[in-house]
Amino acid sequence: MPSELDSFQTFIDDILIRNKSVLDQTTKLQDACTHLCRNISKAATTCGCISINAHKQPYPTIEELSMDDLKALMKTHIDGKLCPNCEELLEKEMGRILFYLGAIANTFDLSLSDILTHEKNRTELLGKFSLR
Ligand SMILES: [Zn+2]
């Protein structure tokens, strides 16, 4: 049974005509990433539903704290919650990112489902020590 990602890649393959060139796909992916970052900024600077209070992350030595303590100490620097409008804009760009990522995967005959599994396995090997 195909996974949701497999079905999504088949869907992309069926409907993608205009942006078949890998150059179109990569630049569309960059464009979607740019718009995602822009929409996050606009949520703070134009809408105001969130604020971004960035400051240096505390990096105590590993010996001082457990990994769980360190995880709790690290901040997103986001205060507030996205309003429905901003949330919709972020979802739209994340969807575009997934679409063009799937298109690039199709171009190189790669499976997003396999990529997801491999990445999860690689990250699980290192666990919290991957420091992502
Ligand atoms: Zn908003």
Short mmCIF file of all heavy atoms in Angstrom, two decimals, residues 43 47-49 82-83 86, ligand 1:
data_model
loop_
_atom_site.label_atom_id
_atom_site.label_comp_id
_atom_site.label_asym_id
_atom_site.label_seq_id
_atom_site.Cartn_x
_atom_site.Cartn_y
_atom_site.Cartn_z
N ALA A 43 4.42 37.98 9.95
CA ALA A 43 3.53 37.67 11.08
C ALA A 43 3.90 38.52 12.28
O ALA A 43 3.04 38.96 13.05
CB ALA A 43 3.59 36.17 11.42
N CYS A 47 1.45 41.79 10.80
CA CYS A 47 0.25 41.35 11.52
C CYS A 47 0.41 41.61 13.02
O CYS A 47 -0.46 42.20 13.64
CB CYS A 47 -0.01 39.88 11.25
SG CYS A 47 -1.44 39.24 12.15
N GLY A 48 1.51 41.15 13.58
CA GLY A 48 1.74 41.34 15.01
C GLY A 48 1.20 40.23 15.90
O GLY A 48 1.21 40.36 17.12
N CYS A 49 0.72 39.14 15.29
CA CYS A 49 0.18 38.04 16.11
C CYS A 49 1.29 37.33 16.89
O CYS A 49 1.01 36.70 17.91
CB CYS A 49 -0.62 37.07 15.26
SG CYS A 49 0.31 36.30 13.91
N LEU A 82 0.42 32.15 16.12
CA LEU A 82 -0.02 32.61 14.80
C LEU A 82 -1.53 32.77 14.77
O LEU A 82 -2.27 31.92 15.29
CB LEU A 82 0.38 31.60 13.72
CG LEU A 82 1.87 31.47 13.40
CD1 LEU A 82 2.09 30.31 12.44
CD2 LEU A 82 2.42 32.76 12.81
N CYS A 83 -2.00 33.85 14.14
CA CYS A 83 -3.44 34.02 13.91
C CYS A 83 -3.82 33.09 12.75
O CYS A 83 -2.95 32.59 12.02
CB CYS A 83 -3.76 35.48 13.58
SG CYS A 83 -3.18 36.01 11.96
N CYS A 86 -2.21 34.13 9.28
CA CYS A 86 -0.77 33.88 9.15
C CYS A 86 -0.48 32.37 9.12
O CYS A 86 0.38 31.92 8.38
CB CYS A 86 0.00 34.55 10.30
SG CYS A 86 0.00 36.35 10.19
ZN ZN B 1 -1.07 36.97 12.13
#
